[in-house]
Amino acid sequence: MRHVSDDERRARMGVRHALAPSFRVDSPEAATRAMTVLHATESATVYLSCWARVRSLDAADVDRALYDQRSLVKQLAMRRTLFTFPRDLLPAAWSSASALVANTERARMAKDVVKAGLAVDGNDWLDRARTEVLKLLTDRPEGLSAVEIRQAVPMIDVKVEGSAGEIWSAPRVLTHLGATADIMRGTNTARFPVSRPLWTLTRHWLDDAPVDLESADGYREIVRRWLYTFGPGTEDDIVWWLGSTKTVVRAALAELDAVAVSLDGGDTGWLLPDDVATVPDPGPWVALLPVLDPTIMGWKNRDFYLGPHRNQLFDTRGNAGTTAWVDGRVVGCWIQDETGVVHVRLLETVSASARRSLDAEAARLTEWLGGVRIGTGYVSQAMKQAAEIAGATP
């Protein structure tokens, strides 16, 4: 069995994730493909994940890909998370991960609706609500905001207590319609880094008909791309990232003829059969990555790049804050001060050359942001401490 050391896994990261300088790419589309998908829970993450990987980038380049060419499309999928997908990967998600999210959401919403006394049949209520929204958007190809839809469809202008005690309203109906690929987040009415999308019918947003896939085919294609980006990864890594089951993952690995490799620590990882060769040495590299960047969130088993810093870099819900990297290892985080200047906080000692490179990246990011401050709902302990030192709000 071929052995892939942690050092080699970190080298693959620099190459495959387009983070090492000589392996950066030329467009937001190429950066997204390099990562399979980009996290889009916060709008700014998409832009900053691209900035870290694209040789020369303006925010307008990302806007063009998302809203003009629509070569990148936001879609709710794995683990009920919003991602930015390469357009050609959408059908695979729609038939697999997105469908799973939609089915789970339907069951929860239907139960909540009955409990709230809105209807005797929760599924019927949801079907009628969906029909009303779709009818409204039929003649509005430019799309409508969530507020406009709520005002125009009174039956979803309600507040419902969820099973976990949360309160949901009209946007959750839109979320379900998005998971089923009936509607999409279209034009953004706000400027970077804020997201205020207009919701539009999928057939209005995408000018070509989606290709129907079987669920197994969809999962297999997503796992194939994950293996190229993140491999070698363990079965547990893929199950967690995909938000699915071991049965689904094992079937995909078998159909792909994935090759088992041994990892440091004794775990078994998996690679595509045509991807077992050693990747080239990417040379020294550093990176400043945003909250929820796919590199930090790509695996369940993260010791080979996190070391002892997990608790300082993730919030209590398991969401990663900003991170600073040296040669495939996380060594700290970054924040902005009140004037927008980026500061790096180290959690361990690095070489003088690495420190200089991190400072240069911080200066480059400061210049790129041009004084725009990036707010976030995902603040790690390390970010809080860095903000205190800088006298800033994280």
Side-chain angles (χ1 to χ4, degrees):
M1 183 183 293
R2 162 137 151 68
H3 182 76
V4 181
S5 68
D6 287 349
D7 285 341
E8 184 177 347
R9 296 180 77 184
R10 290 189 286 265
R12 291 175 70 95
M13 189 187 299
V15 173
R16 294 294 169 80
H17 293 200
L19 292 172
S22 58
F23 290 92
R24 287 178 183 161
V25 292
D26 294 324
S27 68
E29 292 89 344
T32 305
R33 287 182 179 280
M35 300 311 303
T36 300
V37 291
L38 298 179
H39 278 258
T41 303
E42 291 188 345
S43 177
T45 296
V46 179
Y47 293 79
L48 294 174
S49 290
C50 288
W51 170 85
R53 296 171 170 89
V54 178
R55 293 185 182 92
S56 177
L57 181 80
D58 292 328
D61 296 326
V62 183
D63 288 337
R64 169 193 52 78
L66 286 169
Y67 307 121
D68 297 333
Q69 296 184 356
R70 300 168 192 180
S71 49
L72 300 179
V73 182
K74 293 183 180 181
Q75 174 66 39
L76 198 73
M78 294 75 72
R79 309 184 313 280
R80 199 185 179 276
T81 299
L82 185 65
F83 292 96
T84 293
F85 277 77
R87 184 163 166 164
D88 70 303
L89 188 56
L90 284 172
W94 290 341
S95 67
S96 58
S98 294
L100 176 61
V101 170
N103 291 338
T104 302
E105 279 291 287
R106 171 178 281 277
R108 290 174 178 170
M109 293 173 70
K111 182 178 179 180
D112 293 344
V113 164
V114 172
K115 181 180 177 181
L118 292 178
V120 175
D121 187 333
N123 281 300
D124 176 68
W125 182 92
L126 180 56
D127 287 337
R128 288 187 288 111
R130 287 169 50 88
T131 298
E132 288 295 312
V133 173
L134 294 175
K135 181 180 177 182
L136 173 67
L137 292 176
T138 296
D139 298 324
R140 302 298 296 268
E142 72 282 3
L144 293 171
S145 69
V147 172
E148 290 171 326
I149 295 172
R150 174 178 58 79
Q151 293 172 343
V153 184
M155 73 171 295
I156 68 171
D157 189 11
V158 294
K159 292 186 177 180
V160 181
E161 183 177 353
S163 55
E166 78 282 9
I167 302 297
W168 61 265
S169 56
R172 192 158 179 180
V173 177
L174 303 183
T175 295
H176 188 263
L177 282 160
T180 57
D182 289 291
I183 66 175
M184 295 201 136
R185 293 163 175 82
T187 301
N188 185 28
T189 61
R191 297 184 65 184
F192 166 79
V194 178
S195 177
R196 291 198 189 99
L198 299 180
W199 291 89
T200 184
L201 296 181
T202 297
R203 60 184 173 86
H204 288 326
W205 191 246
L206 303 180
D207 56 12
D208 52 351
V211 178
D212 291 332
L213 291 178
E214 295 295 329
S215 177
D217 295 333
Y219 277 124
R220 183 178 64 249
E221 177 59 15
I222 294 175
V223 170
R224 183 183 73 80
R225 298 203 193 191
W226 185 93
L227 285 173
Y228 186 82
T229 297
F230 297 101
T234 67
E235 183 181 279
D236 285 345
D237 290 330
I238 308 171
V239 168
W240 174 83
W241 186 90
L242 198 59
S244 188
T245 65
K246 288 186 177 181
T247 299
V248 165
V249 169
R250 287 171 179 172
L253 291 173
E255 291 171 9
L256 291 166
D257 294 324
V259 176
V261 298
S262 61
L263 304 176
D264 287 355
D267 287 334
T268 297
W270 296 91
L271 287 171
L272 292 171
D274 59 353
D275 188 34
V276 295
T278 303
V279 300
D281 181 358
W285 61 273
V286 302
L288 299 181
L289 301 183
V291 298
L292 299 175
D293 185 87
T295 295
I296 189 75
M297 298 294 294
W299 298 266
K300 180 180 181 181
N301 303 302
R302 300 166 175 152
D303 288 349
F304 76 97
Y305 60 91
L306 274 184
H309 306 313
R310 180 188 297 263
N311 291 339
Q312 291 179 282
L313 295 168
F314 285 76
D315 67 17
T316 56
R317 296 169 294 176
N319 299 304
T322 63
T323 47
W325 298 69
V326 173
D327 298 337
R329 293 185 59 255
V330 184
V331 297
C333 70
W334 62 270
I335 56 99
Q336 289 175 281
D337 66 22
E338 299 299 334
T339 66
V341 174
V342 174
H343 298 267
V344 174
R345 177 174 184 261
L346 293 176
L347 296 176
E348 62 181 67
T349 301
V350 300
S351 69
S353 61
R355 179 75 227 204
R356 288 193 297 270
S357 295
L358 286 170
D359 289 341
E361 277 295 276
R364 188 170 76 93
L365 182 53
T366 297
E367 181 181 7
W368 190 82
L369 288 171
V372 175
R373 296 196 71 237
I374 307 298
T376 179
Y378 303 98
V379 180
S380 67
Q381 187 62 36
M383 291 171 67
K384 292 178 183 178
Q385 294 169 352
E388 291 173 0
I389 295 171
T393 302

